[in-house]
Amino acid sequence: MKLRYIGATAALIAGGVLVAQAQQPAQAPATAAAPPPTATTKVTDNVYIFRYVGHQSMFIVTPAGVIATDPISERRPAKPYIDAIQAVTKAPIKYVIYSHSHFDHIAGGQPFKDLGATFVAHRNAKERIQALKPADVVVPDQIVDDKKVITLGGTALELNYVGKNHSNSTLVMRLPKEKIIFTVDWIPIQGVQFRIMDDTYIPDIEDGLKKVIAMDWETLIPGHPGPGGKQTGTKDNARDELAYLQDLSAAVKQEVAQGKSYDDAVKDISLPKYSAWPNYKNFLPMNIERYYDFWNRGI
Ligand SMILES: [Zn+2]
């Protein structure tokens, strides 16, 4: 599917960025210009991606209003996201759907709430938010258990729960007509899992991947762009991620069976099929530790 990049908003330079620039030696070689901090990309006639530095969200435009997803505005203003939507349509923002409970994706939604949006999330996300009470996360108004369909202005958006994976509250948002899914942090475009796979449930994540692969869709929108800033993927990315986890699991299982230590497992295991993925070198050792715990201690 061909994407149309429709614009970027002005830079919001954080203090940290300015300091980093000031500390850069004067003789440093010139590097390619960084992409603008925010951008809107049109995926289909009614579906858009808003990217905010390293995070991205989907929003859906209908004649009756907008369905937005994750505010992605932790410790930064939500205004660029709202401005990006309003640059496309003046229709009201009716919904904000949380992808899962993690604050880096769902913080900063109050300005959407002030505009009258209804917030929707999985039951477990609402429970976690109510337990932890983060100051900058809007508590969901509506919850999803296994499935809910939001219908607005002729568009249907399915909110599917396929079990525990990268959290116990991850939704797979599917647009049946457009054959698009938006799901966050567990099906990257060519990526190993993040660091130590915190909050990730093994082996449930593999079962969930199989369920997602069995669904009818063609385009994946993940919560972070992939290599080279690529914003959408395909079912092959889901198949590759499942293969990566299965290969990793089998390799670690063998190390544990042979009585090897954490350090041995990290030293012994390489998965060359995935070595070109950008975060392979940094995160593979931590992914190995996560699977080591599963095979060695059942956790
Ligand atoms: Zn997450």
Side-chain angles (χ1 to χ4, degrees):
M1 182 173 299
K2 202 164 163 56
L3 299 177
R4 193 157 69 88
Y5 171 76
I6 64 165
T9 56
L12 288 158
I13 304 297
V17 173
L18 287 171
V19 169
Q21 285 174 342
Q23 288 169 346
Q24 195 172 37
Q27 69 274 26
T31 52
T38 68
T40 307
T41 303
K42 187 169 184 166
V43 183
T44 68
D45 280 348
N46 58 337
V47 180
Y48 295 79
I49 298 170
F50 174 69
R51 181 182 58 74
Y52 204 163
V53 192
H55 287 69
Q56 58 182 27
S57 286
M58 173 179 76
F59 67 93
I60 304 151
V61 175
T62 84
V66 175
I67 304 171
T69 61
D70 295 342
I72 51 173
S73 296
E74 185 183 41
R75 292 188 282 272
R76 57 190 182 187
K79 190 172 183 300
Y81 189 179
I82 291 171
D83 287 350
I85 293 171
Q86 292 180 342
V88 174
T89 178
K90 297 299 176 205
I93 301 168
K94 292 283 198 184
Y95 292 97
V96 172
I97 321 284
Y98 289 164
S99 61
H100 65 307
S101 67
H102 297 167
F103 304 156
D104 61 314
H105 291 271
I106 64 171
Q110 190 58 44
F112 290 85
K113 187 80 196 154
D114 295 342
L115 292 172
T118 297
F119 281 60
V120 184
H122 187 264
R123 176 187 295 277
N124 295 338
K126 181 168 184 174
E127 281 175 9
R128 190 150 181 82
I129 293 160
Q130 285 180 316
L132 297 178
K133 299 184 175 56
D136 55 348
V137 175
V138 173
V139 176
D141 303 297
Q142 296 181 10
I143 55 161
V144 184
D145 282 308
D146 286 344
K147 185 170 179 173
K148 184 185 185 84
V149 180
I150 305 257
T151 306
L152 184 69
T155 295
L157 175 67
E158 270 180 14
L159 309 178
N160 298 289
Y161 183 67
V162 297
K164 296 182 284 188
N165 39 60
H166 161 84
S167 71
N168 69 351
S169 60
T170 306
L171 294 177
V172 178
M173 304 184 205
R174 190 175 78 101
L175 288 156
K177 194 164 86 188
E178 296 81 358
K179 295 188 187 288
I180 292 171
I181 63 165
F182 172 63
T183 193
V184 169
D185 278 353
W186 66 300
I187 314 181
I189 300 170
Q190 296 190 318
V192 303
Q193 294 287 310
F194 185 65
R195 301 186 68 91
I196 197 79
M197 301 176 70
D198 265 339
D199 205 16
T200 295
Y201 296 81
I202 296 169
D204 314 59
I205 186 170
E206 295 170 31
D207 299 337
L209 274 160
K210 289 173 195 163
K211 288 181 195 165
V212 172
I213 290 164
M215 289 178 177
D216 183 21
W217 58 274
E218 289 169 0
T219 302
L220 162 72
I221 302 176
H224 302 274
K230 198 170 188 304
Q231 291 192 284
T232 64
T234 66
K235 207 171 261 191
D236 280 342
N237 294 118
R239 292 189 189 103
D240 288 348
E241 194 62 27
L242 176 60
Y244 165 69
L245 291 177
Q246 289 171 330
D247 289 350
L248 171 64
S249 182
V252 177
K253 183 181 181 184
Q254 195 176 23
E255 291 285 304
V256 171
Q258 292 171 359
K260 301 285 187 77
S261 67
Y262 285 94
D263 289 344
D264 291 335
V266 168
K267 260 190 239 113
D268 291 348
I269 295 172
S270 68
L271 299 170
K273 245 166 88 184
Y274 313 100
S275 61
W277 291 1
N279 48 8
Y280 171 89
K281 200 167 167 289
N282 291 336
F283 295 164
L284 178 68
M286 292 181 255
N287 288 189
I288 290 170
E289 290 207 14
R290 178 68 193 86
Y291 268 90
Y292 190 101
D293 278 336
F294 173 69
W295 286 114
N296 191 47
R297 294 193 284 159
I299 57 174

